Amino acid sequence: MVELKTAAAVDAMRATGRVVADALAAVRAAAAPGMRLRELDEVARAVLRDAGADSPFLGYRPSFAPTPFPAVLCVSVNDAIVHGVPDASRLRDGDLVSIDCGAVVDGWAGDAALSFTVGTARPEDQRLMDTTRQALAAGIAAAVPGARMGDVSHAIGSVGRAAGYGIPEDFGGHGIGRRMHEDPPVPNDGRPGRGYPLRPGLVIAIEPMFLAGGSNKYAEDDDGWTLRTVDGSRAAHFEHTVAVTEDGPRVLTLP
């Protein structure tokens, strides 16, 4: 069932979104060669704790997962697409890192992600990140009353396909509110004019993830969480929580 949020609920989710943005900014600032991935998770935990926020990631266990997720961040490096488990491995110069973070404040969830390079970016990595960010912007711009979910999906997918990137078919965005994952799903590719109608009060997490090698295929690590490209190519992931309003899309996870 899809729940349309009131204006007051959207304002409350905006407060949560600022916490998510703060956590991502702190992690981005702390990321440097030699830092362990689990140390990045500790940075985010401190931001959530200081804000009085809970993590919707920590302990999360959907039906596909063999164990509850053990962290407040997903940290996916290089060929890892999404859901990377932060461990004792260290960042290296040139790593492409995708960070996904969520928060819950006063019962309302927020969810966002970004990708960046540690140190100097390779030109092909910068293009991948720039294109994925552009796809997110296109998806957000399409999230207006009177449109359909297929318009959002088509806007995202068109950017990725034009660049020659792969798009994992089974993973995309989602509704969000009292729970991190709600209806409706938000695919990263689709046909315009199709799907769920967008109405004011709908809040969705829009999250393109593109694979540099051009294949849509992915493999799952033994941890049951981390998804990787099958060809070893790199991946990028950007996400915002967005409310559909009469005045256009309102991004709730900006700083």
Side-chain angles (χ1 to χ4, degrees), residues 6-142:
T6 65
V10 171
D11 286 343
M13 294 185 71
R14 174 67 179 117
T16 305
R18 287 192 180 94
V19 175
V20 176
D22 288 347
L24 288 173
V27 170
R28 174 68 184 89
M35 192 163 199
R36 297 186 188 274
L37 304 190
R38 63 172 52 138
E39 292 175 324
L40 297 179
D41 191 68
E42 289 299 328
V43 170
R45 287 178 190 242
V47 173
L48 297 187
R49 182 173 58 250
D50 290 348
D54 295 319
S55 169
F57 289 16
L58 184 62
Y60 180 60
R61 188 178 184 181
S63 58
F64 67 79
T67 58
F69 196 74
V72 306
L73 291 181
C74 297
V75 184
S76 306
V77 181
N78 295 332
D79 64 332
I81 306 166
V82 287
H83 303 163
V85 178
D87 56 19
S89 59
R90 296 182 183 273
L91 294 173
R92 297 174 296 178
D93 185 72
D95 279 345
L96 195 167
V97 184
S98 296
I99 304 289
D100 194 352
C101 182
V104 177
V105 178
D106 295 330
W108 293 105
D111 190 7
L114 55 79
S115 295
F116 58 86
T117 298
V118 177
T120 304
R122 305 188 305 184
E124 59 269 33
D125 289 347
Q126 190 63 57
R127 175 176 177 266
L128 174 63
M129 290 186 290
D130 289 345
T131 303
T132 311
R133 191 185 295 108
Q134 290 165 12
L136 174 58
I140 292 170

Side-chain angles (χ1 to χ4, degrees), residues 1 9 15 31 57 62 64 80-81 90 139 150 167 186 202 208 225 233-234 236:
M1 184 180 75
F57 289 16
F64 67 79
I81 306 166
R90 296 182 183 273
I167 303 173
V186 186
L202 178 68
W225 282 101
S233 65
R234 293 187 170 193

Side-chain angles (χ1 to χ4, degrees), residues 3 19 36 46 52 55 69 94 103 149 151 159 177 215 219 246:
E3 177 194 5
V19 175
R36 297 186 188 274
S55 169
F69 196 74
M149 194 62 73
D151 299 315
V159 174
S215 172
E246 293 284 6

